[in-house]
Amino acid sequence: MKNILITGAAGFLGSHLCDKFINQGFHVIAMDNLITGDLKNIEHLFKLENFEFYHHDVSKFVHVSGELDYILHFASPASPIDYLKIPIQTLKVGSLGTHNLLGLAKEKKARILIASTSEIYGDPLVHPQSEDYYGNVNTIGPRGVYDEAKRFQESITMAYNRFHGLETRIVRIFNTYGPRMRLNDGRVIPAFMGQALRGEDLTVFGDGSQTRSFCYVDDQVDGIYRLLMSDYSLPINIGNPHEISIKDFAEEIIKLTNSNQKIIYKDLPQDDPMQRQPNISLAKKILGWEPKVGREEGMQKTFEYFSSLSDEELRKRDHKDFTSHIKK
Ligand code: UDP
């Protein structure tokens, strides 16, 4: 049985990756510091013999006993609200955390895949974004802590690949959605879903003409799995190229949820990218991958998930209080 370490395992993507690798017959070693993750996302796996969980912050030295075949580094705050709230932890997990995991991969002779992001393209001047675009990032803006940590992460990963001959993979993840997204993480889908289910108006930032392209989580996980198993070590975009403006998306959600809510407009956050769409030609060519789940089907499943939350969960307004259990 192959051993895989998954960091950020209690998060949205991390927990779906745990499911995938358990289903593929792996022994999964899950790790999370639970700052933004939630054990509820993986509690169904606790009874399994081939699953173990460690409560640990990977920005500190990471020890795993025994053999390791693969590492997936998915630990990081990943929503603009989260990294505004915990900017230093965001920088540390992308830099120190990645360094620790690359060191562990080298020691164990494991293959490591790191989670990069479309944010490395910043507010892109090239559209759609392909892997050879170098991006337009404001290093000192509020999103810089995430964007630059992820850019550093790509650099140090390639350095370990070239200097130490480590087997590395880099996925650039575009907006992904589905069950287990955290209701109060500030991202647009949980925000709109929560508002629709509570009977509130939907808050569109700016005039809503900014675009995003949303990928269903099962497609994203399939792309990541294929990349890990491939022999391609340069960065690769995984996302759904079907682009929509945020205003049109709000209208779609009002229809889907059968709510009579209105749209209200709020200020656009600083450095909010105006457009985003992945060019996925490389993923198609190298991995034979393309998304299969359309927005209608994916959003329906996502709506079912949010509808199943308790009233108490739906009404919890405050963003998770991170500050009580972290050291700056
Ligand atoms: N957004 C919005 N209303 C909200 C939350 C987000 O209009 O209540 C917008 C946000 O300004 C951005 C887009 O939706 O243009 C996607 O935001 P999200 O935070 O989900 O992720 P991003 O792609 O910006 O990292």
Side-chain angles (χ1 to χ4, degrees):
M1 192 181 269
K2 299 272 189 202
N3 296 316
I4 185 166
L5 169 67
I6 302 181
T7 77
F12 163 54
L13 276 179
S15 66
H16 284 280
L17 287 163
C18 287
D19 287 341
K20 171 79 177 180
F21 283 88
I22 287 286
N23 289 336
Q24 296 289 326
F26 285 71
H27 175 199
V28 172
I29 302 156
M31 203 171 267
D32 204 297
N33 66 359
L34 301 178
I35 287 185
T36 58
D38 192 331
L39 282 182
K40 261 200 323 206
N41 292 334
I42 46 173
E43 66 187 1
H44 59 287
L45 302 174
F46 275 62
K47 58 181 182 296
L48 303 178
E49 261 183 24
N50 55 335
F51 182 81
E52 46 186 318
F53 174 76
Y54 293 94
H55 185 187
H56 180 67
D57 181 346
V58 297
S59 303
K60 306 203 176 85
F61 186 83
V62 183
H63 172 75
V64 172
S65 56
E67 289 181 10
L68 264 188
D69 301 286
Y70 299 102
I71 299 175
L72 297 181
H73 180 28
F74 277 70
S76 177
S79 87
I81 293 269
D82 287 353
Y83 40 80
L84 275 180
K85 228 172 165 177
I86 42 173
I88 297 166
Q89 284 72 23
T90 304
L91 281 158
K92 280 167 76 175
V93 73
S95 54
L96 308 180
T98 303
H99 186 211
N100 288 336
L101 291 159
L102 288 165
L104 180 67
K106 180 165 150 274
E107 172 70 24
K108 302 279 186 186
K109 299 186 174 49
R111 180 181 295 178
I112 179 168
L113 181 148
I114 61 134
S116 186
T117 165
S118 54
E119 281 285 323
I120 65 109
Y121 300 121
D123 191 2
L125 305 175
V126 164
H127 194 72
Q129 294 78 55
S130 51
E131 290 83 351
D132 55 6
Y133 175 51
Y134 296 155
N136 176 39
V137 171
N138 175 4
T139 56
I140 56 167
R143 301 171 88 108
V145 294
Y146 184 63
D147 303 6
E148 288 302 327
K150 291 293 185 180
R151 290 170 70 96
F152 171 84
Q153 184 183 49
E154 291 198 2
S155 304
I156 192 171
T157 300
M158 288 313 299
Y160 267 73
N161 176 287
R162 293 187 177 122
F163 190 74
H164 289 304
L166 192 69
E167 282 196 48
T168 59
R169 307 287 180 264
I170 300 174
V171 57
R172 290 188 181 150
I173 298 170
F174 282 67
N175 294 66
T176 299
Y177 69 99
R180 302 186 195 151
M181 290 188 95
R182 205 173 80 235
L183 187 65
N184 292 324
D185 77 356
R187 277 184 284 191
V188 67
I189 292 181
F192 285 172
M193 286 281 158
Q195 287 161 347
L197 286 164
R198 289 189 299 262
E200 296 164 6
D201 294 334
L202 271 59
T203 52
V204 165
F205 297 162
D207 63 4
S209 61
Q210 72 272 32
T211 66
R212 293 294 185 272
S213 312
F214 297 101
C215 181
Y216 190 64
V217 63
D218 291 357
D219 283 331
Q220 183 64 245
V221 163
D222 179 42
I224 291 165
Y225 185 82
R226 286 171 189 241
L227 175 59
L228 181 67
M229 297 307 161
S230 78
D231 57 8
Y232 191 76
S233 61
L234 295 175
I236 209 154
N237 290 339
I238 298 287
N240 189 321
H242 197 169
E243 186 179 357
I244 186 171
S245 77
I246 295 300
K247 180 173 180 293
D248 290 349
F249 190 46
E251 278 161 6
E252 250 184 38
I253 291 190
I254 290 173
K255 261 198 216 129
L256 165 76
T257 57
N258 223 343
S259 53
N260 291 320
Q261 269 50 63
K262 291 196 303 292
I263 293 176
I264 52 171
Y265 293 88
K266 297 214 164 170
D267 288 346
L268 190 67
Q270 190 191 333
D271 297 333
D272 197 293
M274 277 316 290
Q275 50 182 6
R276 184 181 287 155
Q277 187 203 124
N279 177 327
I280 57 164
S281 317
L282 205 58
K284 276 189 191 161
K285 189 171 128 208
I286 307 271
L287 310 176
W289 176 88
E290 62 183 321
K292 295 196 177 74
V293 183
R295 209 170 44 239
E296 199 176 326
E297 182 190 347
M299 285 304 295
Q300 182 59 42
K301 289 184 179 158
T302 307
F303 179 51
E304 281 160 22
Y305 168 76
F306 283 109
S307 306
S308 74
L309 298 181
S310 69
D311 262 8
E312 193 200 344
E313 278 169 307
L314 277 179
R315 306 225 162 254
K316 244 191 263 160
R317 298 307 182 92
D318 295 337
H319 296 294
K320 194 167 169 180
D321 178 19
F322 306 120
T323 41
S324 57
H325 61 304
I326 53 174
K327 275 208 200 110
K328 301 237 162 52

